[in-house]
Amino acid sequence: MLPGLVVPPAGLPQVQKGDLCAIALLGNRAPVAVGVAAMSTAEMLTSGLKGRGFSVLHTYQDHLWRSGDKSSPPSLAPLALDPPDLSEEKESVQADPALQGDLRRLTLEGEEENGEVQRMCGEKSLSEASEDPSVRGLNPDPTDSKTLQEQMDELVQRCFLHALKCQVRKADLPLLTSTFLGSHMLSCCPEGRQLDIKKSSYKKLSKFLQHMQQEQIIQVKELSKGVESIVAVDWKHPRITSFVIAEPSPTSQTIQEGSREQPYHPPDIKSLYCVPASMTLLFQESGHKKGSILEGGEVRMIIINYVKRNDLVDADNKNLVKLDPILCDCILEKNEQHTVMKLPWDSLLTRCLEKLQPVYQVTFPGQEPIVKKGRICPIDITLAQRASNKKVTVVRNLEAYGLDPCSVAAILQQRCQASATVTPAPGAKDSLQVQIQGNQVHHLSRLLLEEYQLPRKHIQGLEKAPKPGKKK
């Protein structure tokens, strides 16, 4: 089903209806299912990633899998970080006569191509493969000071200390060990490297955390059967206090500066007023014409100067203003034209502002101001019911404040540990909405108010956050 599909930063791959596709989990390139595309990529995007996307033919742990050796899928890193281990492939082909026989029986496009495959497997020796820079990283020289396992041990401990020092807070405890690995340790892995505990001497996360518990850095407990959580952290431990976060390389800094990881700064939003045709006579004396954009303070000064210049202040009561024909035409209703002769100052100014057209100006840091008619729509947070009485949180109007709905969805998906999708907002042209499973208003409130520092008056629906349970 498409709602569970994670869209990569580069976008969905282009497929046509009926194409055979491999389905993999996030962070592992090894397929866990094989299916046929039920619609093309364009149709998936048009549907807002809703409905059936693939008809599954074969999955991990189905009857076909049980009839085999029942092996688990391998752990394959993304293509950019996982160059093929050519030496291992060649060793297996050269060492296993059965595989050599299989290669001889291959018929790709004829006997000539079959011969080319065999020559390619035999041309390059193992010594040449070890000199290949793409292989050298995976098969280090035995004379190297550290083995692959030792390097992975260092990486695991580095990500562990980095996560505790920079990401985990006391309020996050107790923290599931699986969440700690997936949401914190993996995000602290340096660019260009792949964290894989199976390749370390610890082999399992639980064993590594037990080792850290023995060093009295953390305390792990089994709060529910079979599920472990980190319940305490000694942030004053020498290993955490002495840990130094490595500075990112100049290349990675350049990439981050030009990407969406650049820090977000809230826009400056001003409420303005536009002079309509019906009010031009009142404002033309001050040099303004139809369509002029004014701030509220400027409008008040223009009205006050107009009244004083035309000697309209009531002689008996300075708080009243006599209405001349221009003021009558501009601010009075038709049924008031012959009945209302004077107005208090505050009523005069309020009526004048109400007759002007509302306009708002949005200024993002380092950009030219953007002026639009009407009033800016607040970020709208609503709760909706879905199938099986499940709640979902829907967020709209993020684009008006310079927020990318896809980026917000990715952040919420990681923090809430819940599915998040981006779909076209109903009734709004070229606008998207973010939908997260469950009531996630509390997480949204922290993200929008504390991190993005948006004014509370521009966000509606924050009162729908779940109420904290009563303490027993």
Side-chain angles (χ1 to χ4, degrees), residues 174-440:
L175 180 64
L176 289 174
T177 56
S178 57
T179 303
F180 176 66
L181 173 64
S183 299
H184 300 290
M185 285 184 64
L186 291 178
S187 63
C188 293
C189 186
E191 187 177 1
R193 299 194 65 181
Q194 185 75 16
L195 180 64
D196 190 351
I197 295 183
K198 292 181 181 178
K199 294 181 181 179
S200 69
S201 62
Y202 306 105
K203 302 301 181 185
K204 292 183 178 180
L205 176 65
S206 58
K207 187 177 178 181
F208 167 72
L209 294 178
Q210 287 173 6
H211 184 71
M212 295 297 103
Q213 184 171 234
Q214 291 172 2
E215 293 190 25
Q216 297 182 347
I217 301 176
I218 59 172
Q219 185 179 354
V220 180
K221 282 188 179 180
E222 190 176 4
L223 298 181
S224 57
K225 188 176 181 181
V227 180
E228 291 185 336
S229 298
I230 299 174
V231 295
V233 179
D234 182 9
W235 276 284
K236 295 182 180 180
H237 194 280
R239 291 199 61 184
I240 296 180
T241 56
S242 62
F243 178 74
V244 179
I245 301 169
E247 292 291 331
S249 64
T251 306
S252 64
Q253 285 181 345
T254 305
I255 293 172
Q256 288 182 0
E257 287 173 4
S259 68
R260 59 183 174 85
E261 305 218 350
Q262 190 173 3
Y264 171 81
H265 297 285
D268 179 37
I269 303 171
K270 287 184 179 180
S271 295
L272 304 175
Y273 300 91
C274 178
V275 179
S278 60
M279 303 278 285
T280 51
L281 290 176
L282 181 58
F283 286 87
Q284 67 181 3
E285 288 188 13
S286 57
H288 297 91
K289 56 184 180 179
K290 176 186 174 183
S292 296
I293 306 297
L294 301 169
E295 294 187 17
E298 293 178 304
V299 174
R300 289 182 176 87
M301 288 304 301
I302 291 171
I303 300 300
I304 292 171
N305 291 335
Y306 177 86
V307 171
K308 291 181 177 179
R309 196 164 45 242
N310 292 277
D311 195 19
L312 298 177
V313 180
D314 188 59
D316 299 327
N317 188 350
K318 301 293 184 182
N319 292 325
L320 295 178
V321 176
K322 295 180 292 185
L323 303 182
D324 65 355
I326 293 178
L327 285 175
C328 288
D329 291 339
C330 291
I331 65 174
L332 292 182
E333 301 295 335
K334 287 185 178 180
N335 57 351
E336 297 176 327
Q337 295 284 345
H338 303 289
T339 57
V340 179
M341 309 303 296
K342 298 177 183 179
L343 282 176
W345 274 106
D346 56 350
S347 178
L348 175 67
L349 295 173
T350 301
R351 286 179 177 235
C352 185
L353 290 174
E354 290 175 351
K355 292 291 183 178
L356 295 173
Q357 292 178 350
V359 175
Y360 67 92
Q361 175 182 287
V362 181
T363 307
F364 292 98
Q367 299 183 21
E368 291 293 323
I370 302 171
V371 179
K372 293 186 177 181
K373 292 182 179 180
R375 292 181 174 84
I376 188 169
C377 295
I379 294 177
D380 183 37
I381 303 173
T382 56
L383 296 176
Q385 297 287 126
R386 293 294 184 262
S388 303
N389 204 27
K390 292 182 179 178
K391 286 185 179 180
V392 295
T393 307
V394 183
V395 193
R396 300 184 180 91
N397 304 328
L398 292 168
E399 298 94 336
Y401 299 85
L403 293 171
D404 179 17
C406 295
S407 299
V408 173
I411 293 172
L412 291 172
Q413 184 173 12
Q414 184 179 20
R415 295 189 183 180
C416 307
Q417 295 295 298
S419 173
T421 57
V422 179
T423 58
K429 186 180 179 182
D430 299 330
S431 181
L432 300 174
Q433 66 180 17
V434 178
Q435 180 174 296
I436 319 109
Q437 285 186 351
N439 186 336
Q440 309 296 351

Side-chain angles (χ1 to χ4, degrees), residues 111-129:
E111 294 298 328
E112 293 181 1
E113 291 190 7
N114 188 18
E116 289 178 5
V117 171
Q118 293 176 6
R119 285 196 298 274
M120 287 174 64
C121 293
E123 277 178 358
K124 200 172 183 181
S125 64
L126 286 175
S127 60
E128 292 173 335

Side-chain angles (χ1 to χ4, degrees), residues 131-144:
E131 294 175 3
D132 191 335
S134 65
V135 180
R136 192 183 301 120
L138 298 176
N139 297 279
D141 193 338
T143 60
D144 193 4

